[in-house]
Amino acid sequence: MTNPAPKTWTVGTLRYTRGQLIQVFVWLLLGDFVLHLMDNGVVPTLVPLQFQELSGSKTLYNLIAVTAVNLLYTVLVPIVSTWSDRTRTRIGRRRPFLLYTAPILALVLILLGFSVNIARWLQVQLPGWLGGYEVAAVAIVITSVLFVAFKLLDMFPQSVYYYLWPDVIPNELLGMFGALFRVFYAAGSLFFNYFLIQIAKTHPEEIYIGSAVMYLVAFLMLVWRVKEPEYPPPAPAETRSGSFFARAGAVAVQYFRDCFSHAFYWKYFLAMALFQCAYQPFIANLIFLGQDVLGRSEANLATYGKILVVKDFLWIAIYLGLVPVMAKVHPLRAGLFGYLLMLACATGAFFFIQGPWTFGVFTVLTFAAVAIYLGGTAAIGPKLLPLEKYGQFASAGAVVFRLSVALVGVLAGIVFDKLGTQYVYGWLAFFLAIGTVLMWMLYREWQRLGGDESFTPPLNHHAAAQGFEVIAKP
């Protein structure tokens, strides 16, 4: 009796044995760990502390960190995403964008830790231009410029990295991978909050350097070890005459016709955007609320870090628990459930936080609800958007949420400067309430379009890419 052939998995022209698939998971998840150590630990903690030390206002910080960055992403993410969809190189269509930006991003991240030193050096080198300004004023400008440059470069891993998933992960494993992705997401945040946050004020330069080196090594290894499938040629671009601006306008019109001509996608984009409108200003300003409730000493900052460490351990436990669950539950159902939990916790936090103990309890509970939402929806894009032009449609969603967050970013800074940071949780609850309604509308539309039994992403004729299904589905 012959032994059965070992199980294999396919995605496009790629075929994996169990060991090969595990290797792909390992390298993608290592990239995830360092990406979120950097983006959810180092930068959102150290940059606001730098602004605070330099006497920058919350309005200025939110204007740069929320509004300016999201406006930048609104313009550039669609360009990069569509460019990535149509790129064909020897190493694939996604990895070149990760490879070429990684060294520059790491350098800018290091420089961000030395903004005050750079300000002093520039004042010595350019006394006629900068000698009349305080070091703090020059340093705020340099910090702002370097932060925006970092976020510009960070746009590539924050978009193209996610587009790599459906290209190299078998479709039936995307939900499971998404939950594992969130485990490592939380692990990166845990590493920062457990080991680094207590020295954030005293050793920022070392933290910046270490995270930059880790990011560079992890993403170079990812590019080297994770292979992409062979892709068919992209759909031929339509030949257009006229001036450059006329041709660019025609391309933009086609882009918006492809991505925004069906109500289903509007509901999807807006449901995702409302979470970002709630969460980004919340997470950007939570440290200020923590300082108001706990105090501003280094010991109090360490206490804030311990609360986040509890949150991170809980996140890892939740995400691990979601790994088998998300193999059976559609991300849309998990997202609706997560929205309801987040709304309940944020509302409770707004009304019942009275001191350090209640701040810690409600912060941990709120983040637990966020973990259920994030873990449950990690693979919602590949499940609802057309894989033929996944980068393009994902970027359209990014346009909606980035523009939405950019518009509310200035408002958040004004609200928290004028009314106080006690409204951080009120802000979160308000936008989550709207998002819950939109998620329910999306769920009902998904059911109308076939639901579990027969849903296929609605796609007009112009958005179809002939032949892609041959290489995109297992």
Side-chain angles (χ1 to χ4, degrees):
M1 183 176 179
T2 59
N3 292 327
K7 181 174 175 57
T8 61
W9 291 261
T10 60
V11 53
T13 59
L14 298 174
R15 182 178 297 273
Y16 300 119
T17 63
R18 185 181 301 275
Q20 291 169 333
L21 186 62
I22 290 173
Q23 289 183 49
V24 172
F25 272 47
V26 166
W27 294 116
L28 286 173
L29 293 172
L30 177 61
D32 167 40
F33 172 84
V34 298
L35 183 62
H36 289 288
L37 167 66
M38 180 177 69
D39 283 325
N40 291 315
V42 174
V43 173
T45 301
L46 268 61
V47 171
L49 289 177
Q50 285 176 270
F51 269 82
Q52 190 176 68
E53 289 294 319
L54 297 170
S55 300
S57 70
K58 296 180 182 66
T59 299
L60 175 62
Y61 170 67
N62 280 273
L63 178 65
I64 294 169
V66 180
T67 299
V69 167
N70 281 284
L71 284 174
L72 185 69
Y73 277 35
T74 299
V75 175
L76 295 180
V77 166
I79 297 172
V80 171
S81 301
T82 305
W83 183 14
S84 173
D85 279 345
R86 298 185 60 83
T87 294
R88 300 293 184 271
T89 72
R90 184 175 58 83
I91 64 171
R93 63 176 180 173
R94 312 298 189 191
R95 290 182 295 163
F97 293 88
L98 303 177
L99 174 63
Y100 299 134
T101 57
I104 308 172
L105 187 152
L107 176 61
V108 170
L109 186 61
I110 292 172
L111 293 176
L112 190 56
F114 292 86
S115 57
V116 174
N117 306 73
I118 295 171
R120 293 195 181 102
W121 181 80
L122 285 175
Q123 282 193 319
V124 172
Q125 299 300 315
L126 303 171
W129 288 4
L130 302 177
Y133 296 96
E134 294 183 0
V135 172
V138 179
I140 284 178
V141 173
I142 293 170
T143 300
S144 301
V145 170
L146 287 171
F147 176 73
V148 172
F150 166 79
K151 297 302 289 186
L152 172 62
L153 293 161
D154 193 41
M155 172 184 63
F156 292 90
Q158 287 290 356
S159 56
V160 176
Y161 167 77
Y162 297 96
Y163 307 156
L164 189 61
W165 290 17
D167 287 355
V168 302
I169 298 295
N171 184 67
E172 68 269 28
L173 298 179
L174 279 170
M176 181 185 298
F177 177 81
L180 283 171
F181 162 82
R182 293 301 185 188
V183 172
F184 282 78
Y185 169 105
S189 177
L190 171 63
F191 182 85
F192 177 82
N193 292 324
Y194 190 83
F195 293 106
L196 302 178
I197 195 169
Q198 63 264 35
I199 60 170
K201 285 188 174 182
T202 56
H203 297 83
E205 297 89 350
E206 291 87 343
I207 295 174
Y208 276 117
I209 292 171
S211 61
V213 171
M214 290 177 66
Y215 171 83
L216 181 61
V217 171
F219 269 78
L220 291 180
M221 291 297 295
L222 186 155
V223 170
W224 177 38
R225 301 300 298 172
V226 177
K227 308 301 181 185
E228 295 183 54
E230 296 177 10
Y231 302 104
E238 297 181 25
T239 303
R240 298 181 175 92
S241 58
S243 67
F244 168 81
F245 294 103
R247 296 195 304 272
V251 171
V253 168
Q254 186 62 56
Y255 175 91
F256 282 95
R257 183 183 297 125
D258 289 347
C259 299
F260 298 102
S261 60
H262 200 287
F264 174 79
Y265 296 119
W266 271 110
K267 292 170 184 175
Y268 171 78
F269 296 150
L270 290 172
M272 300 298 106
L274 262 295
F275 171 75
Q276 298 294 339
C277 288
Y279 189 69
Q280 286 201 26
F282 165 74
I283 198 67
N285 292 275
L286 181 62
I287 190 170
F288 300 131
L289 174 61
Q291 289 183 323
D292 288 345
V293 174
L294 302 173
R296 299 194 176 191
S297 68
E298 288 188 19
N300 296 132
L301 184 60
T303 300
Y304 178 79
K306 290 175 183 177
I307 293 172
L308 296 185
V309 166
V310 173
K311 174 266 293 184
D312 291 330
F313 275 117
L314 186 60
W315 272 21
I316 291 173
I318 290 171
Y319 292 146
L320 285 172
L322 285 173
V323 171
V325 173
M326 293 315 300
K328 301 177 181 179
V329 176
H330 195 282
L332 191 48
R333 290 192 177 91
L336 180 58
F337 180 68
Y339 248 120
L340 290 169
L341 282 181
M342 290 188 295
L343 177 59
C345 292
T347 303
F350 177 67
F351 285 108
F352 295 113
I353 286 179
Q354 300 294 329
W357 189 83
T358 50
F359 172 79
V361 169
F362 277 103
T363 295
V364 169
L365 288 175
T366 300
F367 275 114
V370 170
I372 292 172
Y373 173 83
L374 291 176
T377 59
I380 195 170
K383 292 290 186 180
L384 297 182
L385 301 179
L387 295 182
E388 292 88 330
K389 288 191 173 183
Y390 182 69
Q392 177 179 319
F393 276 80
S395 74
V399 167
V400 175
F401 94 69
R402 294 288 181 183
L403 185 58
S404 301
V405 175
L407 293 175
V408 302
V410 175
L411 177 62
I414 295 172
V415 167
F416 300 143
D417 269 333
K418 296 293 185 182
L419 301 181
T421 53
Q422 67 266 28
Y423 283 87
V424 165
Y425 273 103
W427 176 282
L428 182 66
F430 175 77
F431 283 96
L432 287 176
I434 304 172
T436 301
V437 174
L438 285 163
M439 184 65 85
W440 172 250
M441 294 171 63
L442 174 65
Y443 177 72
R444 294 299 300 271
E445 181 76 359
W446 172 74
Q447 286 185 315
R448 188 184 69 81
L449 292 171
D452 287 312
E453 299 299 325
S454 59
F455 172 76
T456 299
L459 193 64
N460 67 43
H461 173 71
H462 293 287
Q466 295 296 322
F468 183 90
E469 65 275 4
V470 174
I471 65 106
K473 297 179 180 179

